[in-house]
Amino acid sequence: MNKRTIAQGAALLAISSYISKLLSFFYRIPYQNLAGDFGLYVYQTVYPLFAIAAALGIYALPVIVAKLTLHHPDEKREVLWSIFYVLLAMTVFFGVLGWWIAPTLAGWFGDDKLVVPLRAVTCTFYLLPVIAVLRGMFQADLEMRPTAVSQVSENAVRVGLLLLVTYIGVSMQADPYWIGASAHLTAIGGSVVSLVVLLRFAKGKIGRPVFSSLHIRRVGKVLVTSGVAVSIASLALLLMQLIDGLTFVNLLGNTTETKIEKGILDRGYPLLQFAILFATSMSLASVPALSTAYRKHEQQMMRQQLETLLRSGLLIAAAATIGLMGVMRPLNIALYQNDEGTVGLIWLAATAFAASIAMMIVSCLQSVDAEKYALVGVLVGLGAKLALNLYFIPRYGMIGAGMATFGGFAVMAAAQWILLNRKFGRVSAGNAFYRRLVLPVLTMGVFLYLIETFFQLFELETRIGAALEVGILVVGGAIIYGSMALRVRALSEQEWALLPLGDKLYQMYQRRRSI
């Protein structure tokens, strides 16, 4: 398989992951419009448990499977079947345990009626082992198309079924808890479709079952050590949401008003996820080069790649964060029909900067086999989030939860930065870059403030007006920020080329200067 084919496969996998995450982001909007904030509370409170399992099957476990089979190419079949057995045992154990302790978990969430949605989530686990192993098998052979097609198919079917079930449930005026449970059960349909797609690609490649106690012990050890480190480090945002689910109602009281407030808070997490996805996907183009330099023990090249990644990451993360904060009020109205909870959602939006930096550093550390460093940084941030929740939520409610998420990711980013420096020595984007970043941020911030003030002054923030305002803010803000970043030379020509369409923007700017 030539390098071009490998690069095309990697690009296809990246695109499919992006599409899958976009689908996971957008369906929350019609779901809230149909089921309301209380319905969103029911769905989103237990959602992190489903999403963690789904993310393991889509991202973390296939990577671990691929690594294990690559390390033992002569024993590939034994390794694959051993992984399947271990994952199957773990899935059955946690699925049965989850069903059994669902009443206890509901008590931890502060709402006994969540038992039914929690048990629905446990039913979605059981196809995870075979899907993860098949995806990992293909990725080990550098065949990315099966994984890409199965990812998009799974999410498209799940989202379509979820919205259909929700519409029917709301039309029948069904109990919100049963609607939430039914919505989660639609994931089984997506998993079945994903499995069918993978089995079609795998025809003739699976082979007869093999049982090896030696390989099972070896695989189990790796999954419990490196697997846990990779998984937790990759799921920081979901774990933050889980902490909110476990603390919010418990701290404020099991009332309808509290649950609606939690539902309003849950509006913000998909938007935050999208901002982080945008920032990290735009700036991680240098990670493969970093990994290559690490394998070749080229210390100077590693440092250059890290500094390049930090500069591009900080530039995009700052834009995503200021932009999301600036559009949050009209975006809240356009997507969710009113501006309730905007202040708390702005605190969540402010989190995008630190969260993006933390996730970029996690990707860097994982690319150089430093998963345990990444895990430590994530655990420190999660501990800070929990402590801040306990302090802020009783005092400020939803706003306090947003403040705690901001603080948790700030601590996480700082911890990851310290660990990155411990691993590679002192790494910095450079003082000159920080000075150059100020003008684009301020200019875009002023533009967003003026447009927002204009629309509020003339009372133009109907749902349609808010959607128009969001369009103006996004397009105008992006043009202003990009123009100012080019003018102050925030990045070099080589660094602009690493960003999607960055080389074209740089060339356009140079042509304008020469006229």
Side-chain angles (χ1 to χ4, degrees), residues 312-334:
S312 60
L314 287 166
L315 183 73
I316 301 301
T321 304
I322 301 301
L324 185 58
M325 291 173 68
V327 305
M328 184 55 76
R329 176 183 162 83
L331 192 63
N332 198 15
I333 297 170

Side-chain angles (χ1 to χ4, degrees), residues 147-176:
T147 297
V149 174
S150 70
Q151 277 184 18
V152 175
S153 301
E154 177 177 358
N155 277 283
V157 170
R158 180 175 71 87
V159 169
L161 289 174
L162 183 149
L163 294 178
L164 177 62
V165 165
T166 303
Y167 175 77
I168 294 172
V170 172
S171 299
M172 296 174 62
Q173 297 183 330
D175 181 81

Side-chain angles (χ1 to χ4, degrees), residues 101-405:
I101 68 169
T104 303
L105 287 175
W108 290 354
F109 283 110
D111 186 352
D112 293 337
K113 292 183 179 180
L114 288 172
V115 171
V116 175
L118 284 167
R119 283 181 169 165
V121 168
T122 65
C123 295
T124 66
F125 293 171
Y126 295 104
L127 291 177
L128 173 64
V130 63
I131 290 174
V133 169
L134 288 172
R135 284 173 174 164
M137 178 185 75
F138 286 119
Q139 290 181 35
D141 292 335
L142 302 177
E143 294 182 52
M144 305 304 180
R145 187 164 171 258
T147 297
V149 174
S150 70
Q151 277 184 18
V152 175
S153 301
E154 177 177 358
N155 277 283
V157 170
R158 180 175 71 87
V159 169
L161 289 174
L162 183 149
L163 294 178
L164 177 62
V165 165
T166 303
Y167 175 77
I168 294 172
V170 172
S171 299
M172 296 174 62
Q173 297 183 330
D175 181 81
Y177 292 92
W178 281 98
I179 293 174
S182 302
H184 279 295
L185 283 174
T186 59
I188 298 174
S191 296
V192 170
V193 170
S194 175
L195 181 57
V196 169
V197 170
L198 290 168
L199 287 174
R200 285 179 65 87
F201 280 105
K203 196 171 183 180
K205 295 184 178 182
I206 299 174
R208 294 180 179 179
V210 179
F211 186 89
S212 168
S213 57
L214 173 64
H215 285 91
I216 287 175
R217 287 195 299 271
R218 181 186 296 166
V219 164
K221 182 179 179 181
V222 173
L223 285 174
V224 170
T225 54
S226 297
V228 170
V230 170
S231 301
I232 292 179
S234 304
L235 302 172
L237 183 60
L238 290 171
L239 293 170
M240 291 280 188
Q241 293 179 65
L242 184 60
I243 291 172
D244 277 337
L246 291 168
T247 56
F248 198 92
V249 174
N250 279 311
L251 291 171
L252 293 179
N254 186 2
T255 66
T256 301
E257 291 74 17
T258 296
K259 294 170 185 176
I260 290 174
E261 189 176 3
K262 171 65 167 55
I264 295 171
L265 173 67
D266 287 330
R267 297 179 183 184
Y269 274 109
L271 302 173
L272 175 59
Q273 179 186 16
F274 183 72
I276 295 170
L277 173 64
F278 173 77
T280 53
S281 63
M282 289 278 283
S283 59
L284 287 178
S286 56
V287 166
L290 172 65
S291 183
T292 300
Y294 171 76
R295 302 281 182 265
K296 294 180 179 179
H297 304 287
E298 297 176 351
Q299 297 296 326
Q300 186 61 32
M301 180 60 69
M302 286 170 58
R303 182 175 294 277
Q304 289 177 3
Q305 293 299 332
L306 279 170
E307 290 177 351
T308 294
L309 185 143
L310 287 175
R311 281 190 287 271
S312 60
L314 287 166
L315 183 73
I316 301 301
T321 304
I322 301 301
L324 185 58
M325 291 173 68
V327 305
M328 184 55 76
R329 176 183 162 83
L331 192 63
N332 198 15
I333 297 170
L335 298 182
Y336 299 113
Q337 308 174 75
N338 57 56
D339 66 349
E340 292 182 19
T342 295
V343 175
L345 297 180
I346 288 175
W347 272 103
L348 271 184
T351 301
F353 185 78
S356 299
I357 300 305
M359 292 300 96
M360 282 185 281
I361 297 177
V362 165
S363 296
C364 290
L365 291 171
Q366 289 180 345
S367 71
V368 297
D369 300 328
E371 293 94 347
K372 291 179 182 178
Y373 278 82
L375 173 62
V376 170
V378 170
L379 291 178
V380 169
L382 293 174
K385 162 66 174 172
L386 177 59
L388 292 170
N389 262 22
L390 295 176
Y391 179 81
F392 283 125
I393 289 179
R395 291 167 173 79
Y396 307 112
M398 175 192 161
I399 295 174
M403 295 166 67
T405 304

